[in-house]
Amino acid sequence: MKKYELMALPYAADALEPVISKETIGFHHGKHLLAYVNNLNGLLERLRAGEFDSGMESSMADLPLEEIVKKADGGILNNAGQILNHEMYFQQFTAPKADNKPIGKIAEAIARDFGSFEAFREEFLKKGSTLFGSGWVWLSADKDGKLVITQETNAANPVQRGLKPLLTFDVWEHAYYLDYQNRRPDHLAALWQIVNWEVVESRL
């Protein structure tokens, strides 16, 4: 029986300071993400037992996480989506660098599809700052390899649109409120210092 576990961070809890504090990492990873993992495991046990009337097959409980996100709905989708989103989010960071910019193929693709890294960053920040309520802003590639920016509400993920997700910023308040209070744009602007562009390029 497949059971999900809390991902291990690829860095120390204080490695992203001052962009993201150790305290925020503790709550965001150690409490919020852990809750999604525990919730999903409980819901999948109920699905296997045939306790859902939503039409979802019990076999869905043993699909890869991404396939669950593509096919599920309700609480299973919400928790599976948040696990997928958060795992990609936490994996894409590294220690802060003052002038942190993409290089290689991802840099070339950004320049090709947005004109420049600066133009891409401005559009990405605008879409992250203006997303109403809770959710995520994503950089993804479509089936032809063209890069696109999307706003995804709540637990949604670009895989539901047939896209390949590459980079995401979390705009749920729990991602930044301890460090930035209601200053979401300031938080989003600071995140560029900690993006691990090698990880982003590996997803391309």
Side-chain angles (χ1 to χ4, degrees), residues 35-71:
Y36 296 129
V37 170
N38 290 337
N39 288 342
L40 181 62
N41 285 328
L43 289 167
L44 293 181
E45 286 181 15
R46 292 178 57 202
L47 181 61
R48 290 186 185 97
E51 296 179 12
F52 280 90
D53 296 323
S54 63
M56 288 184 287
E57 298 289 336
S58 61
S59 59
M60 184 186 296
D62 296 308
L63 291 175
L65 186 62
E66 189 171 305
E67 293 302 310
I68 294 176
V69 172
K70 289 178 182 178
K71 298 178 180 181

Side-chain angles (χ1 to χ4, degrees), residues 28 36 81-82 85-86 89 127-138 150-158 168-176 184 187-188 191:
H28 197 180
Y36 296 129
Q82 285 292 71
N85 293 352
H86 280 91
Y89 173 81
K127 289 197 172 176
S129 298
T130 58
L131 175 61
F132 183 76
S134 299
W136 304 76
V137 58
W138 289 87
T150 63
Q151 295 172 315
E152 307 291 347
T153 58
N154 299 319
N157 184 288
T168 187
F169 287 0
D170 186 348
V171 297
W172 284 67
E173 285 190 345
H174 65 238
Y176 61 88
R184 182 195 287 183
H187 166 65
L188 297 178
L191 288 177

Side-chain angles (χ1 to χ4, degrees), residues 11-203:
Y11 39 75
D14 62 354
L16 307 181
E17 292 186 337
V19 177
I20 302 177
S21 68
K22 180 179 179 180
E23 185 179 18
T24 290
I25 290 290
F27 277 100
H28 197 180
H29 172 264
K31 295 188 182 298
H32 285 280
L33 180 52
L34 179 60
Y36 296 129
V37 170
N38 290 337
N39 288 342
L40 181 62
N41 285 328
L43 289 167
L44 293 181
E45 286 181 15
R46 292 178 57 202
L47 181 61
R48 290 186 185 97
E51 296 179 12
F52 280 90
D53 296 323
S54 63
M56 288 184 287
E57 298 289 336
S58 61
S59 59
M60 184 186 296
D62 296 308
L63 291 175
L65 186 62
E66 189 171 305
E67 293 302 310
I68 294 176
V69 172
K70 289 178 182 178
K71 298 178 180 181
D73 56 28
I76 290 179
L77 170 60
N78 290 338
N79 287 280
Q82 285 292 71
I83 294 170
L84 182 60
N85 293 352
H86 280 91
E87 287 185 350
M88 297 193 73
Y89 173 81
F90 286 120
Q91 287 165 355
Q92 72 188 4
F93 293 138
T94 188
K97 299 176 186 175
D99 188 28
N100 188 28
K101 293 182 179 180
I103 59 173
K105 291 182 180 179
I106 187 66
E108 293 169 5
I110 287 172
R112 178 195 68 209
D113 294 332
F114 297 98
S116 67
F117 173 65
E118 289 71 26
F120 154 71
R121 184 171 58 189
E122 182 177 350
E123 182 180 346
F124 198 85
L125 290 178
K126 181 179 180 181
K127 289 197 172 176
S129 298
T130 58
L131 175 61
F132 183 76
S134 299
W136 304 76
V137 58
W138 289 87
L139 173 68
S140 301
D142 69 13
K143 59 182 177 58
D144 298 316
K146 178 179 171 57
L147 302 186
V148 294
I149 299 171
T150 63
Q151 295 172 315
E152 307 291 347
T153 58
N154 299 319
N157 184 288
V159 297
Q160 296 166 291
R161 304 172 183 253
L163 300 172
K164 181 189 291 185
L166 307 175
L167 169 74
T168 187
F169 287 0
D170 186 348
V171 297
W172 284 67
E173 285 190 345
H174 65 238
Y176 61 88
Y177 208 85
L178 290 177
D179 300 330
Y180 297 85
Q181 287 76 53
N182 64 338
R183 294 178 288 114
R184 182 195 287 183
D186 291 349
H187 166 65
L188 297 178
L191 288 177
W192 298 108
Q193 299 174 52
I194 59 173
V195 173
N196 186 331
W197 289 106
E198 291 182 2
V199 170
V200 177
E201 183 174 71
S202 73
R203 298 169 175 170

